[in-house]
Amino acid sequence: MDTLCFGCKAKGEQQSATTVIAVGHKAWELCEEHGNRFAAYLEDLFKDEGLAPAVEQRKNVVVTGTIPGYEPDTARQAITNGGFDVSGHVDENTAFIVCGIRPAPHKVQEAAAAGTPCMDATKAGAFRTAVTSGEWVAEDPLPEVSAKKTAEDVRRETDEQRESRRKREADAMSAYVHWQKTELPQRLSESSDRWAEERKEKEDAETRRLAKAHLEPELTENQKIRAWAAANDFTLNPRGRIPAAVKSAYDHAHAGQEALPEVG
């Protein structure tokens, strides 16, 4: 099953995700079209094309085997979006090798000979976590593989060897399916709950702002005294200190008003 674009899913469509937009602890997987669209929106919003790409030459990454949850082209595009070049063979420029289900023996052997770090993409959610976080951690041991098999080697494979290989592949796929059914829905649910809470906080703040905008501005104590004095035939200068006699009369007139019971 391929990883789908958030933007397309929101419109009821299905399109493979090839890039990620991350803000803080949140990340959105997007197809190329939505990625370009949101990038253009941010450029227009900030009047800036963003940070320039690093000038250092990008290192190569070798991908071998089937990565659970990703079509081959989608997985390679995701790695390219992460700032790497995808290469077919391990060499001195190879940053690490990504090993999926049934990796090519000769590529694993090349990595072993060169001491190239390995990312085990058969671990549940490992590749997807790297894509969404942008942190490509390659600290796994290389898988055990035999030399490149010929047709004669395949015919010589014993039932035990064949069963062992199939079991490893089945265990890797089972672990991924379990992650999809358990951990992934929980993460999506938590993300949805956080989104709903943040949306409600924004709506409440906007409601308070609109309500405050329609209320009469709160008067200061001096403004209240001047308004009362004008309504009760006191003559005051529009500016300056309010006479003590006027303040005393205002206090006397309002003494105990807040303590009076409401008449229903």
Side-chain angles (χ1 to χ4, degrees):
M1 184 184 69
D2 208 358
T3 303
L4 300 179
C5 168
F6 275 55
C8 293
K9 284 194 293 185
K11 298 192 300 181
E13 302 173 357
Q14 292 188 349
Q15 180 68 33
S16 298
T18 59
T19 189
V20 175
I21 288 183
V23 179
H25 66 279
K26 297 183 178 181
W28 294 265
E29 295 172 301
L30 304 171
C31 63
E32 183 176 1
E33 179 184 352
H34 277 101
N36 292 336
R37 185 182 304 174
F38 282 104
Y41 169 75
L42 292 175
E43 290 177 8
D44 182 65
L45 177 65
F46 297 118
K47 308 302 181 186
D48 193 301
E49 295 182 357
L51 298 176
V55 296
E56 295 85 356
Q57 182 179 2
R58 297 188 299 178
K59 289 189 175 182
N60 299 332
V61 171
V62 173
V63 184
T64 178
T66 301
I67 298 179
Y70 287 81
E71 296 294 335
D73 290 343
T74 305
R76 286 168 171 73
Q77 184 62 53
I79 291 174
T80 300
N81 292 338
F84 300 95
D85 288 323
V86 178
S87 177
H89 295 280
V90 177
D91 57 28
E92 64 275 6
N93 291 321
T94 302
F96 57 91
I97 183 173
V98 179
C99 292
I101 299 173
R102 300 184 69 178
H106 69 284
K107 293 185 179 180
V108 175
Q109 290 166 0
E110 289 175 352
T116 304
C118 171
M119 170 186 283
D120 185 0
T122 65
K123 293 164 61 176
F127 190 81
R128 183 178 187 277
T129 299
V131 172
T132 56
S133 67
E135 298 179 1
W136 299 82
V137 180
E139 300 176 346
D140 301 309
L142 288 166
E144 295 181 4
V145 294
S146 60
K148 187 173 182 179
K149 292 184 177 181
T150 64
E152 183 64 26
D153 292 330
V154 174
R155 285 194 292 270
R156 288 178 180 176
E157 188 178 49
T158 65
D159 292 341
E160 183 179 354
Q161 290 172 331
R162 186 180 300 107
E163 183 63 25
S164 176
R165 172 174 56 78
R166 290 176 176 174
K167 185 178 184 303
R168 290 196 305 271
E169 295 171 358
D171 288 345
M173 185 58 69
S174 176
Y176 174 72
V177 171
H178 177 73
W179 174 81
Q180 271 195 320
K181 292 182 178 180
T182 56
E183 186 178 347
L184 178 59
Q186 181 180 353
R187 289 188 178 183
L188 292 176
S189 176
E190 291 174 353
S191 177
S192 178
D193 291 342
R194 287 197 301 270
W195 179 86
E197 291 174 0
E198 293 173 358
R199 179 66 179 268
K200 186 177 185 304
E201 290 176 358
K202 290 181 180 179
E203 290 178 347
D204 290 345
E206 181 65 10
T207 300
R208 290 192 296 270
R209 186 189 69 80
L210 293 175
K212 185 176 180 180
H214 287 81
L215 292 176
E216 291 293 333
E218 184 70 21
L219 298 178
T220 65
E221 187 68 14
N222 282 351
Q223 288 174 330
K224 292 179 181 179
I225 295 175
R226 290 183 182 280
W228 176 85
N232 288 273
D233 299 327
F234 284 91
T235 301
L236 292 179
N237 292 326
R239 297 181 182 180
R241 185 176 180 181
I242 299 176
V246 176
K247 285 187 176 181
S248 177
Y250 173 84
D251 292 337
H252 180 75
H254 292 80
Q257 281 194 3
E258 296 182 356
L260 292 176
E262 295 183 0
V263 179

